[in-house]
């Protein structure tokens, strides 16, 4: 049972991390506090749902299509938020709140209020006598590891990544050093959009799709991003796993009704202990 | 105006122009009915089903030439699942739109304030899907009626688990909402009375994305029956995880959210053998109303291009009851006032596909009973109580391994 | 501000205040507008309270905690002791203020996004307790049957605050006026300058002799107390209290949206944002588009932010 619990926690944490990745990158580089994040994930999920229903597209094929589409949509979003003036973080938060309402209700109109689910990819696999892993979980763990690794390598090992990190750490200094911040913004929205696109179909497979279901995803993304500290890609995955572990342990020993209290309490305790974010080095928290 | 750029002025003008559109004028001959439902947000699926049911009843009446020759106009408003919004919008309907009566309502926390408002303005309110007992217990409100109540769920459900299945142990999981909590509490009482063992009773916040710790606990000490007072979306996750992790329970019962064709469609084979509750489904009408039920089903599918459900039927029934009372007031040549409609509602006795509608002095329905249905080969088969059953139940349900 | 600007500013304020004050005597659909504006006053008060903390440079995402605590305090006191409404409201404010004080001390090192996240999480603690302490708070069932606002006598007239909507309107307006007065002080008084110094540059403020912690502490506790009173009023107005209703994320997000759209740095800004947006939403958007009002509402928010970056409160005044 313990291995099963650990495996489920691992997949739940990977789910959290995937949901948070795009938010973290966009917030880190462009300082856009995107409250429409969850709505975009749900939109991408609906896209995958439509593809699989209308053309019987296999699940693996829907992923790149959704990623490409959401990367393009990311550029549209950037064109909108570019017009927002100072104080940028707060205004972008309210602006995307409005945008979230618009997307949510447009989806309600387009896709109706019925709850949808993207079917599982196949039979669960029995690893040992009482350790079962589902295909969904394999997808989740594999993709979140791959996405995290790719984003991490991009940020650490490429010239572009260095420029992006410079923007994350010190925006004005990066501009003075000749980094084209505008271009970095575009890249962040493209990569962040692709990550949102990747999260959507998995969200539809592991939770459900509903026009109003984006708020939960946004909350997960906000909590994990701020918890780990922005721009901390590895920290994001670790933070997501830790949160999933704490929640599952609370639900197991104390009961499902205490789950929220335990995660909130531990979150507060950790924030009081390390105000900059759990795994960040000494660095002020991003402005809000 | 100095200091105000033209672009700002233009923006304000455009906004004002957008905001001032609409607002139709009232016709004296119309019978105006107001409806309050959650049309947006999490509960929009059921809110819109109820709305369609009410719309179907109104359309039906208008196609038949109206009520005593007068057309019925339905004015719908969204409550956003917040009581202050529900109250404001209901008051807008009553004061500005001059509706004769109110109908609709899905969440109990909103039905309470609405019923108080109905009393204050002396406008009858027929609630479409209200359950909680306290709403009719306290005070005397001659303007509040509802076509459903909690015991109509608890009695058949408890009878089914204790007498039909003769389950010795049950686990209870319920959402942290007032309605689900009260249902779970009533079930707990009745199961305890029948001598069943209740090793696991838990509550969860709606919107929980993962139930696997709970499922692991179930797996460790499996009860015969799992009762889940959650909603559509919770069943989507929980029922799937129970199948995937292979928790060896013998029956899974979801009073809400399971007995829907859309649930079967989204869950596929994983929905097989789950139990739910339903007051009505196509082909499952109260004896004596089969013809009316089939006519409704056929018409609904044709006009609205959707499958009617038990929730749709709740909306339809509440609107039918209200329109019937309005018709009686008009036929008797009385003025169409709130007090007259309420008086007609109190003495109503109408046989409809979902239930025979008659109210007690508190406005509660006398004959509301839901039916236990089981998903068998993708169809919703009524299995209990015996007088409404069309098949036999499968118990224990097929083990998870045989389900893809 | 230039002299002409100041005069026009005063004129606008006077017009709006007169309109709000005299509306019940014979405006368009008086009862309905009074009902909607009554709720708008309540939410405007929450917005003003929220802005007190924001003026000290901290963005709170957890005002639902104070609101819910206030609602529960009033409803529980009403249920168990049958205390009079002034008492329940005072206790509502005090209990929220106590929680605010605890948070102000606990979160004193947190800034910006960390503070926002910590406050967001701080809502869960009272919520889960209210949700699970069944013997005392009735758990998820919530409390029903909280007594409505009482009848008070004003200058010899008895005004039933629960049934007389106009009385209720002026009653709630009074509360908002008090909140706005405090808010004006937080901008224009000596304390207001201290808040401003703390917001702009903490270290410099400390050097100048401003007690940074005390300034923020006062703002947070005041804000919590005001929000708690609003929660108590809500419990009496609606007659019921449920965990998910009063500790809702909606209550935390609403003041932020209203305040930013109204303009955070004028004494009337947050209140103006709340009054305009809430009443436009309820009186115009809902009736016009029953199923699509929220989309238009979202569009309105986006448009206001693009065209009025300093909030709608900045419109009548000339640009400096």
């Amino acid at each position: 049972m313990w291995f099963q619990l650990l495996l489920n926690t691992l997949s739940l944490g990977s789910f959290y991390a995937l949901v948070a990745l795009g938010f973290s990158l966009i917030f880190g580089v462009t300082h856009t506090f995107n409250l429409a994040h969850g709505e975009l994930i749900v939109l991408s999920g609906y896209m995958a749902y439509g593809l699989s229903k209308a053309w019987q597209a296999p699940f693996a094929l829907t992923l790149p299509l959704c990623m490409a589409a959401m990367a393009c949509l990311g550029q549209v979003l950037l064109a909108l938020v570019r017009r927002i003036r100072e104080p940028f973080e707060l205004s972008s938060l309210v602006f995307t709140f409005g945008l979230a309402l618009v997307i949510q209700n447009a989806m309600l109109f387009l896709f109706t209020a019925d709850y949808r689910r993207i079917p599982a990819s196949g039979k669960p696999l029995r690893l040992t006598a009482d350790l079962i892993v589902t295909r969904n979980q394999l997808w989740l763990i594999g993709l979140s590891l791959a996405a995290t690794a790719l984003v991490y390598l991009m940020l650490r090992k490429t010239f572009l990544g260095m420029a992006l990190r410079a923007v994350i750490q010190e925006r004005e200094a990066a501009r003075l050093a000749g980094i084209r911040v505008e271009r970095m913004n575009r890249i962040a929205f493209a990569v962040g959009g692709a990550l949102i696109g990747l999260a959507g179909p998995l969200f539809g497979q592991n939770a459900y799709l509903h026009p109003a279901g984006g708020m939960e995803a946004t909350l997960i993304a906000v909590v994990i991003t701020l918890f780990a500290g922005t721009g901390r890609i590895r920290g994001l995955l670790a933070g997501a796993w830790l949160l999933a572990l704490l929640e599952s342990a609370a639900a197991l020993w104390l009961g499902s009704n205490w789950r929220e209290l335990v995660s909130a309490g531990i979150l507060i305790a950790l924030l009081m202990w390390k105000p900059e974010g759990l795994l960040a080095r000494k660095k002020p928290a991003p402005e809000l | 105006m100095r200091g105000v750029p033209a672009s700002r002025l233009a923006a304000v003008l455009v906004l004002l122009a957008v905001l001032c559109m609409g607002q139709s004028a009232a016709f004296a001959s119309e019978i105006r009915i107001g409806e309050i439902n959650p049309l947006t947000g999490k509960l929009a699926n059921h809110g819109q089903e109820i709305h369609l049911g009410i719309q179907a009843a109104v359309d039906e009446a208008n196609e038949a030439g109206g009520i005593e020759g007068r057309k019925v106009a339905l004015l719908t408003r969204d409550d956003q699942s917040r009581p202050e919004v529900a109250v404001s919008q209901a008051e807008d309907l009553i004061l500005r739109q001059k509706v004769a009566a109110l109908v609709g309502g899905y969440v109990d926390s909103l039905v309470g304030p609405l019923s108080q408002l109905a009393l204050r303005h002396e406008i009858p309110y027929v609630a479409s899907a209200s359950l909680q007992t306290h709403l009719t217990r306290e005070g005397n409100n001659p303007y509040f009626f509802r076509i459903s109540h909690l015991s109509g769920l608890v009695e058949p459900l408890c009878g089914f688990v204790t007498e039909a299945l003769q389950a010795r142990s049950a686990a209870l999981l319920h959402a942290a909402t007032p309605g689900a909590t009260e249902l779970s509490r009533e079930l707990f009482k009745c199961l305890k009375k029948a001598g069943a063992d209740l090793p696991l009773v838990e509550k969860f916040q709606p919107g929980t994305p993962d139930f696997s710790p709970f499922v692991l606990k179930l797996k460790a000490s499996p009860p015969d029956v799992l009762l889940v007072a959650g909603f559509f979306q919770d069943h989507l996750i929980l029922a799937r995880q129970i199948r995937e992790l292979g928790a060896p329970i013998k029956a899974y019962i979801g009073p809400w959210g399971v007995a829907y064709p859309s649930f079967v469609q989204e869950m596929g084979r994983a929905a097989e053998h789950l139990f739910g509750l339903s007051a009505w489904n196509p082909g499952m009408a109260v004896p004596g109303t089969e013809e009316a039920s089939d006519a409704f089903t056929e018409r609904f599918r044709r006009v609205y291009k959707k499958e009617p459900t038990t929730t749709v039927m709740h909306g339809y029934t509440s609107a039918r009851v209200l329109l019937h009372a309005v018709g009686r007031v008009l036929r008797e040549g009385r003025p169409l006032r709130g007090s007259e409609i309420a008086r007609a509602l109190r003495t109503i006795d109408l046989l409809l596909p979902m239930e025979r509608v008659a109210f007690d002095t508190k406005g509660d329905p006398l004959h509301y009973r839901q039916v236990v249905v089981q998903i068998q080969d993708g169809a919703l088969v009524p299995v209990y109580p015996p007088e409404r059953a069309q098949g036999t139940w499968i118990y224990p349900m097929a083990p998870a391994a045989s389900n893809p | 501000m230039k002299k002409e600007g100041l005069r026009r500013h005063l004129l606008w304020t006077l017009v709006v205040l007169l309109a709000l004050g005299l509306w019940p005597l014979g405006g368009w659909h008086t009862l309905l507008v009074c009902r909607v504006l009554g709720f708008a006053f309540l939410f405007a008060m929450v917005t003003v309270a929220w802005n007190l903390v924001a003026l000290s440079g901290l963005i709170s995402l957890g005002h639902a905690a104070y609101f819910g605590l206030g609602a529960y305090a009033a409803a529980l006191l009403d249920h168990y002791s049958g205390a009079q409404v002034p008492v329940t409201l005072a206790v509502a404010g005090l209990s929220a203020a106590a929680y605010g004080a605890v948070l102000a001390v606990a979160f004193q090192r947190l800034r910006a996004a960390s503070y926002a996240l910590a406050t967001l999480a701080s809502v869960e603690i009272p919520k889960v307790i209210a949700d699970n302490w069944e013997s005392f708070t009735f758990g998820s069932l919530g409390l029903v049957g909280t007594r409505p606002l009482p009848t008070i006598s004003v200058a010899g007239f008895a005004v039933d605050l629960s049934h007389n909507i106009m009385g209720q309107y002026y009653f709630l307006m009074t509360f908002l006026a008090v909140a706005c007065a405090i808010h004006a002080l937080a901008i224009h008084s000596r304390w207001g300058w201290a808040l401003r110094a703390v917001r702009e540059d903490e270290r410099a403020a400390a050097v100048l002799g401003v007690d940074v912690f005390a300034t923020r502490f006062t703002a947070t506790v005041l804000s919590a107390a005001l929000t708690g009173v609003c929660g108590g009023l809500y419990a009496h107005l609606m007659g019921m209290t449920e965990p998910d209703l009063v500790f809702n994320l909606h209550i935390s997000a609403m003041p932020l949206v209203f305040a930013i759209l109204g303009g955070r740095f004028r004494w009337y800004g947050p209140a103006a944002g709340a009054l305009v947006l809430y009443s436009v939403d309820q009186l115009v958007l809902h009736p016009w588009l029953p199923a699509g009002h929220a989309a238009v509402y979202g569009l309105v928010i986006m448009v206001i932010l693009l065209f009025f970056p300093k909030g709608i409160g900045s419109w009548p005044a000339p640009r400096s």
Side-chain angles (χ1 to χ4, degrees), chain C residues 259-275:
Chain C
I260 289 177
L261 294 184
R264 286 163 56 211
F265 302 116
R266 287 169 199 275
W267 69 268
Y268 55 83
L275 293 185

Side-chain angles (χ1 to χ4, degrees), chain A residues 26 34-47 70 73-74 77 99 103 107 193 196-197 200 214 218:
Chain A
I26 291 178
N34 182 14
L35 281 190
H37 179 77
E39 272 69 21
L40 292 176
I41 289 181
V42 173
L43 185 65
S44 159
Y46 270 116
M47 209 183 297
M70 295 319 277
L73 211 60
L77 184 61
L99 184 67
I103 300 179
M107 289 196 295
I196 290 174
T218 308

Side-chain angles (χ1 to χ4, degrees), chain A residues 19 22-23 26 32-45 70 73-74 76-78 80-81 84 89 91-105 107 189 192-193 196-197 211-219 221-222, chain C residues 298 302:
Chain A
V19 167
F23 182 89
I26 291 178
T32 308
F33 203 96
N34 182 14
L35 281 190
H37 179 77
E39 272 69 21
L40 292 176
I41 289 181
V42 173
L43 185 65
S44 159
M70 295 319 277
L73 211 60
V76 178
L77 184 61
L78 175 64
L80 278 174
V81 295
I84 299 171
E89 286 82 0
S91 300
S92 71
L93 189 151
V94 177
F95 184 82
T96 50
F97 176 81
L99 184 67
L101 282 179
V102 174
I103 300 179
Q104 205 182 93
N105 287 279
M107 289 196 295
F189 265 95
I196 290 174
M215 203 56 219
E216 266 108 36
T218 308
L219 267 182
V222 170
Chain C
M302 290 165 71

Side-chain angles (χ1 to χ4, degrees), chain C residues 17 22 47 58 86 114 131 175 191 195 215 278 319:
Chain C
L17 286 183
L22 297 178
T47 311
L58 294 173
S114 304
D131 207 29
F175 275 91
W191 176 55
L195 275 173
T215 311
Y278 188 80
R319 283 189 292 186

Side-chain angles (χ1 to χ4, degrees), chain C residues 53 58 66 97-111 115 119 213-222 224:
Chain C
V53 183
L58 294 173
Y66 310 135
Y99 193 56
V102 171
L103 292 192
V105 172
F107 298 166
Q108 55 180 309
R109 278 173 62 216
L110 301 186
R111 297 288 175 271
Y115 181 81
T119 49
F213 173 72
T215 311
R216 282 211 167 116
F217 184 84
T218 323
T220 309
V221 170
L222 254 178

